[in-house]
Amino acid sequence: MAYSKNSPAGKAVDGIINDLPSLVAVAVVDITSGMALASHSNSPSLNPETAAAYNTEVVKQKQKAMSALKLTGEKIEDILITLTNQFHLLKLNNAGNKFIYLVVNSRETNLAIAREVLRTHADEIN
């Protein structure tokens, strides 16, 4: 997807690419629509726009579960999905209306560094 480097989402994607050049894919996603506002993939087999839509449902279902459990005062900060060879991270912004979706190779990326990069750039998409 082409994206504007002048938009907050584009700046965040660009910054994450610079901070984690070996990433597999990244997208900034609007939770209401499930649409990627900006995205990039280093893998022809991973479409971040498609992943954005499905991962929006993951976030929405977790929000419903939290509501059903009456977890008032709590908010989702991030969600980690561990696959055989990849980490998929969903980092919500403070407003809770957007998230950054990041895919990295679990054997090549330090999870703590990836999470810190997302934490740093999540403020840009508010």
Side-chain angles (χ1 to χ4, degrees), residues 4-122:
S4 168
K5 292 185 180 185
N6 295 325
S7 71
K11 287 178 183 175
V13 166
D14 208 38
I16 293 166
I17 292 168
N18 288 333
D19 292 344
L20 292 171
S22 64
L23 63 82
V24 176
V26 63
V28 173
V29 185
D30 175 74
I31 292 175
T32 304
S33 67
M35 301 293 292
L37 304 172
S39 66
H40 172 81
S41 180
N42 287 329
S43 170
S45 63
L46 199 151
N47 182 325
E49 289 85 17
T50 301
Y54 284 106
N55 281 296
T56 298
E57 291 305 312
V58 171
V59 172
K60 287 180 177 180
Q61 291 302 315
K62 186 59 188 171
Q63 288 171 331
K64 285 180 184 178
M66 290 171 60
S67 178
L69 295 170
K70 296 179 177 38
L71 296 176
T72 56
E74 294 289 338
K75 67 177 188 171
I76 301 170
E77 291 188 10
D78 60 26
I79 297 171
L80 169 64
I81 300 169
T82 306
L83 304 181
T84 306
N85 297 305
Q86 296 177 341
F87 293 134
H88 290 225
L89 294 108
L90 311 175
K91 175 65 176 163
L92 279 72
N93 66 347
N94 286 333
N97 61 348
K98 296 178 190 125
F99 67 91
I100 301 172
Y101 168 64
L102 175 69
V103 180
V104 294
N105 183 308
S106 60
R107 289 171 169 66
E108 298 172 2
T109 305
N110 179 308
L111 179 57
I113 292 172
R115 290 181 82 186
E116 182 59 28
V117 167
L118 288 185
R119 191 174 300 115
T120 301
H121 292 285

